[in-house]
Amino acid sequence: MVDSKQQWKAWLYLAPAIVLLLVFTVWPIINTVRMAFLENYSGLKAAGGATFQFGLGNFEKVIGYRRFVSCLKNTVLLCLLTVPISTILALLIAVALNSIKVCQKALQTIFFLPYVTNSIAIGMVFAAMFNIVGSFYGTQNEIIVTAGIINNVIQFFGGEPINWINYGSTYEANMLVMTVYIVWNALPFKILVLLGGLQSINKQYYDAAKVDGTSRRRIFTRITVPLLSPMIAYVVITGFIGGFKEYTSIVGIFGEKMGPPDDAGRLNTMVGFIYDALSTNSQGRASAAALILFGIILVVTMINMQVSKKRVHY
Amino acid sequence: MKIVLENLTKIFPSRDKKAGKEVVAVNNFNFTIPDGKLIGLLGPSGCGKSTTLYMISGLQKPTGGKIFFGEDDVTELSTENRGIGLVFQNYALYPHLTVKQNILFPLQNLKGADKMSKEAMLERAYEAARLVQIEELMDRKPSELSGGQQQRVAIARALVKMPRVLLLDEPLSNLDARLRLQTREEIRRIQKETGITTVFVTHDQEEAMSISDMIVVMKLGVVQQIGQPQDVYDSPANLFVAKFLGTPPINVFSGRVKGEKLFIGEEAVLDVKGVKDQDVTVGVRPEGFVPDENGPLHTIPSNVEVMGRDVSVVSTHEASLNPQVRSIINSDHKVDVSAGVVRWTLKPHKVFLFNKDTEERILPEEA
């Protein structure tokens, strides 16, 4: 223990960080909880001297919104689609990267590049790829000129172009684009973590497996995956947490309208819903939605931890 | 199953293409390992003993030469088709599997005609576990086992598929001294019970000598001597082998032979019939000294270590090439350190002469 006379020094050194954390992290959290339970709380009215009663009105209102249900559905659906797909893909790519010898470092760098690229920029590129017309938003009467690479490829193989994200596109097509984009965006970090895990596995396990004549498939399922399970669990848990906070990727593809031009807000997510509430000065409702999101992430993470307790070895 | 190594050579290419030299890890190794014997590959680190083992296992490909198991040429055969069991230095037990699953693992890999029923596999696994006496540990994870127990599991895993050859890489190096003693006898027992031709690698000469039927002493990729442990100890082929075997190590003096007498310093200590006059390096085993008031060799004692049964006298001599001369004598002999000098006679069969430059053994020419 530090000498009690010396303790004030320790507090002094910690003070800058503590002050910043108190002001910008701890107080906002407390304030969010407070605002969520104040009926019809609005920052503007509060500044005007209005007082609010405690109650569950914000939660009732939030849950009652049709938009909230669709936001929740979009968020959960995107999570359930992208986390498993990206994890499995990342695992396969990491194993492949780990087993090649030529150009390993160069390929690692290439696979990591999306991670250091701005996700809005990536979104715009993806939007351009999936576009069917020259312009971004498009209207009902616009002449269809296939400009998107994806549709060009489909046509090259004799298929019909699909309206992915433009005026009149279907919800399924929109979700498919979002899934492809989010998976692609999530891959680099997962590959990096899993590759690091792979490289720390003792090579002797593989020698031992070789001596015993283990097939490649069995080596993968019985040795590599179990030994990598702590990293896989980490990637899945952080993947779900990130997935529930999905927002920028939608903006990246669809812009601030959060949906195709004829159905704005169709792809809005939980975080998007919170932003919308804030922009209409309904801090109470925004706080309530934030608390609901927090609760969902907490429950999902706890389930994840329980599963990994059984599945993650040593 | 006898193993024949024919001109076995392994060259590792240099890492640095410009400057580095390639490393000859094993150089032209010829040896026939007799069927059902326990062979110790012995040498300091970097002598190529592990490389030799891994070439026998098939995990490393030889640069040149051939390997036969019995009459079959297995040089080009892949590891899994050689029918070997390999125990790794740190055991390489799969940490996420229980002991039972670890032992079952090689059996579950069998395909086609060799495929076994679940019951048959379990029976074999328990049989192997019984052999190494770990039946009561079958449901534990490797992390819940002591080093010695892990070692046994590794041996059981190697034995369960009934290999033609058992290979052990430094099997005792991760165990503490007491366990090492126990385990090496265990390995000997298991080898005798199964009769599997076994090769093991060690840098510990005591370990190799105590359990091997034959030892192979290696240095820098070159085999120095092959023989039964006692023969190699009693008749080392060169100074390296003499120095490497024996604890405490052999005492080395610079001396010369003149008129069929061996001189250490100015004293003629031994008659050496049939040896030409020349400067020599003399090796004297610690147990080769007999205290004798009229003995020809004298050393200046610094202290006496009592070890119960024996007494170890540490002294110095100007012609000694080691900083100290260590002699082990029966504790019945009394040595008076305060006298400032001890006189010795030497047991002729514990004294070896080596060429001063080549360090090869000089044997008396038959008259």
Side-chain angles (χ1 to χ4, degrees):
Chain A
M1 263 320 272
V2 185
D3 190 322
S4 58
K5 277 180 191 164
Q6 295 289 312
Q7 270 193 18
W8 68 269
K9 266 191 190 168
W11 283 108
L12 182 71
Y13 297 146
L14 287 171
I18 287 176
V19 168
L20 286 174
L21 281 173
L22 283 175
V23 172
F24 291 106
T25 307
V26 178
W27 170 243
I29 291 173
I30 294 168
N31 204 25
T32 302
V33 177
R34 189 182 71 93
M35 289 189 295
F37 289 99
L38 288 174
E39 301 261 8
N40 294 321
Y41 181 88
S42 156
L44 214 59
K45 288 185 200 158
T51 52
F52 306 92
Q53 284 188 318
F54 280 100
L56 294 172
N58 289 325
F59 290 92
E60 282 163 16
K61 253 190 196 149
V62 163
I63 292 167
Y65 279 123
R66 198 178 54 82
R67 273 287 176 227
F68 174 78
V69 179
S70 106
C71 286
L72 188 60
K73 184 180 120 195
N74 287 336
T75 309
V76 171
L77 207 57
L78 282 176
C79 268
L80 293 180
L81 281 171
T82 60
V83 174
I85 294 175
S86 63
T87 306
I88 291 167
L89 272 181
L91 185 62
L92 295 177
I93 292 172
V95 170
L97 266 180
N98 195 38
S99 60
I100 56 169
K101 295 190 174 66
V102 189
C103 298
Q104 197 193 28
K105 289 273 175 269
L107 281 167
Q108 271 179 34
T109 312
I110 291 170
F111 274 99
F112 195 62
L113 275 179
Y115 192 68
V116 292
T117 312
N118 182 297
S119 58
I120 298 287
I122 298 172
M124 290 176 82
V125 173
F126 265 76
M129 282 166 61
F130 282 99
N131 216 344
I132 48 166
V133 290
S135 78
F136 185 72
Y137 292 108
T139 61
Q140 197 166 19
N141 302 317
E142 203 158 8
I143 305 155
I144 292 180
V145 186
T146 41
I149 292 173
I150 304 293
N151 274 330
N152 285 349
V153 171
I154 291 173
Q155 281 176 314
F156 179 81
F157 287 105
E160 284 290 307
I162 294 166
N163 187 352
W164 294 109
I165 54 172
N166 297 74
Y167 192 94
S169 56
T170 62
Y171 179 69
E172 288 74 25
N174 296 163
M175 283 305 268
L176 189 67
V177 173
M178 286 318 304
T179 306
V180 171
Y181 166 63
I182 294 170
V183 165
W184 191 80
N185 212 5
L187 275 180
F189 176 70
K190 292 189 164 122
I191 292 173
L192 192 78
V193 171
L194 295 177
L195 194 61
L198 277 175
Q199 284 170 347
S200 67
I201 294 177
N202 191 337
K203 297 274 176 294
Q204 280 205 335
Y205 295 131
Y206 293 106
D207 278 345
K210 210 167 153 195
V211 170
D212 294 337
T214 319
S215 64
R216 278 169 155 260
R217 191 198 168 88
R218 215 167 117 82
I219 288 178
F220 180 74
T221 55
R222 294 292 306 272
I223 299 176
T224 304
V225 171
L227 289 178
L228 211 53
S229 53
M231 280 74 184
I232 295 174
Y234 171 74
V235 159
V236 168
I237 290 172
T238 54
F240 269 111
I241 293 174
F244 276 106
K245 296 195 294 187
E246 207 61 71
Y247 173 68
T248 42
S249 54
I250 318 281
V251 177
I253 300 256
F254 290 98
E256 281 179 354
K257 284 191 165 171
M258 307 295 282
D262 55 329
D263 192 358
R266 184 206 269 172
L267 293 168
N268 207 352
T269 59
M270 289 289 286
V271 173
F273 181 90
I274 294 169
Y275 281 151
D276 289 346
L278 283 177
S279 66
T280 57
N281 243 315
S282 312
Q283 282 88 348
R285 266 178 286 145
S287 302
L291 283 186
I292 292 170
L293 180 61
F294 168 74
I296 293 171
I297 292 179
L298 188 69
V299 169
V300 169
T301 305
M302 270 158 62
I303 293 170
N304 269 329
M305 299 285 256
Q306 280 303 318
V307 172
S308 50
K309 237 186 221 166
K310 281 192 196 129
R311 290 264 155 200
V312 173
H313 303 282
Y314 72 101
Chain B
M1 182 70 50
K2 71 173 183 190
I3 305 171
V4 183
L5 309 179
E6 215 176 85
N7 303 323
L8 197 63
T9 302
K10 177 74 185 180
I11 298 168
F12 288 110
S14 60
R15 277 226 185 110
D16 183 2
K17 276 174 190 142
K18 281 179 207 153
K21 267 206 279 184
E22 56 189 19
V23 179
V24 183
V26 178
N27 196 350
N28 216 7
F29 193 160
N30 283 294
F31 182 38
T32 300
I33 298 170
D35 182 26
K37 295 288 186 201
L38 180 62
I39 305 298
L41 292 179
L42 179 63
S45 61
C47 73
K49 54 193 192 299
S50 284
T51 309
T52 305
L53 193 83
Y54 282 112
M55 282 195 285
I56 298 174
S57 79
L59 286 174
Q60 282 183 4
K61 263 184 129 36
T63 316
K66 284 192 181 316
I67 302 167
F68 296 90
F69 284 3
E71 302 304 318
D72 315 335
D73 182 351
V74 297
T75 318
E76 295 299 320
L77 213 57
S78 61
T79 306
E80 61 268 27
N81 297 323
R82 289 194 185 189
I84 54 142
L86 179 57
V87 176
F88 290 87
Q89 184 167 0
N90 31 19
Y91 319 135
L93 296 175
Y94 308 121
H96 54 289
L97 301 180
T98 63
V99 170
K100 195 199 288 173
Q101 290 168 325
N102 261 289
I103 300 174
L104 282 172
F105 199 86
L107 298 178
Q108 290 163 343
N109 287 330
L110 297 173
K111 276 187 235 115
D114 300 330
K115 210 174 162 91
M116 297 169 70
S117 72
K118 268 207 175 115
E119 295 74 42
M121 284 198 275
L122 265 180
E123 198 178 309
R124 277 269 283 279
Y126 271 95
E127 201 181 308
R130 225 175 349 263
L131 191 68
V132 296
Q133 297 167 354
I134 49 159
E135 302 115 289
E136 69 278 15
L137 305 172
M138 290 297 257
D139 293 317
R140 295 219 205 150
K141 290 270 177 74
S143 57
E144 296 161 348
L145 302 179
S146 71
Q149 290 168 332
Q150 288 185 29
Q151 163 78 277
R152 287 159 191 242
V153 177
I155 293 176
R157 187 176 67 179
L159 286 176
V160 73
K161 52 182 181 171
M162 305 197 169
R164 300 194 284 177
V165 175
L166 180 62
L167 304 170
L168 305 147
D169 185 11
E170 300 262 5
L172 307 175
S173 60
N174 285 351
L175 306 178
D176 62 50
R178 175 185 279 253
L179 208 53
R180 199 174 298 177
L181 215 67
Q182 217 177 60
T183 312
R184 76 184 190 202
E185 266 139 41
E186 196 80 337
I187 290 175
R188 184 61 175 156
R189 177 184 67 78
I190 293 163
Q191 194 271 331
K192 279 217 166 119
E193 269 182 56
T194 55
I196 295 176
T197 311
T198 304
V199 182
F200 82 103
V201 157
T202 180
H203 60 267
D204 182 344
Q205 49 91 18
E206 206 182 312
E207 195 175 300
M209 304 239 315
S210 60
I211 60 170
S212 310
D213 292 312
M214 277 181 121
I215 57 172
V216 178
V217 185
M218 299 180 73
K219 176 194 171 190
L220 297 172
V222 182
V223 174
Q224 304 292 307
Q225 194 170 2
I226 298 174
Q228 290 179 11
Q230 195 63 49
D231 291 351
V232 176
Y233 181 79
D234 287 340
S235 185
N238 56 38
L239 184 59
F240 173 80
V241 177
K243 275 180 172 171
F244 198 74
L245 296 186
T247 32
I250 197 163
N251 297 296
V252 185
F253 301 91
S254 67
R256 65 184 194 283
V257 175
K258 200 175 165 193
E260 300 201 320
K261 281 193 182 302
L262 170 65
F263 287 84
I264 292 177
E266 294 308 312
E267 297 152 331
V269 295
L270 210 62
D271 289 340
V272 280
K273 282 233 164 60
V275 181
K276 286 191 200 126
D277 292 2
Q278 58 189 308
D279 286 343
V280 291
T281 305
V282 186
V284 184
R285 292 273 181 221
E287 67 272 23
F289 293 85
V290 182
D292 179 356
E293 278 171 32
N294 306 312
L297 180 69
H298 75 273
T299 61
I300 296 142
S302 53
N303 65 304
V304 174
E305 292 167 9
V306 181
M307 296 182 291
R309 185 165 44 90
D310 299 322
V311 171
S312 170
V313 182
V314 181
S315 52
T316 53
H317 188 280
E318 68 219 7
S320 172
L321 297 175
N322 300 343
Q324 293 172 327
V325 177
R326 193 176 275 272
S327 2
I328 293 179
I329 55 171
N330 195 298
S331 57
D332 296 344
H333 293 285
K334 290 280 170 279
V335 175
D336 187 10
V337 179
S338 59
V341 69
V342 204
R343 301 198 80 85
W344 312 93
T345 50
L346 300 177
K347 299 177 188 166
H349 63 284
K350 294 290 180 188
V351 179
F352 313 115
L353 303 185
F354 302 99
N355 185 301
K356 205 166 178 252
D357 302 314
T358 64
E359 302 194 338
E360 289 301 313
R361 177 89 179 273
I362 301 168
L363 290 167
E365 288 164 23
E366 297 295 326

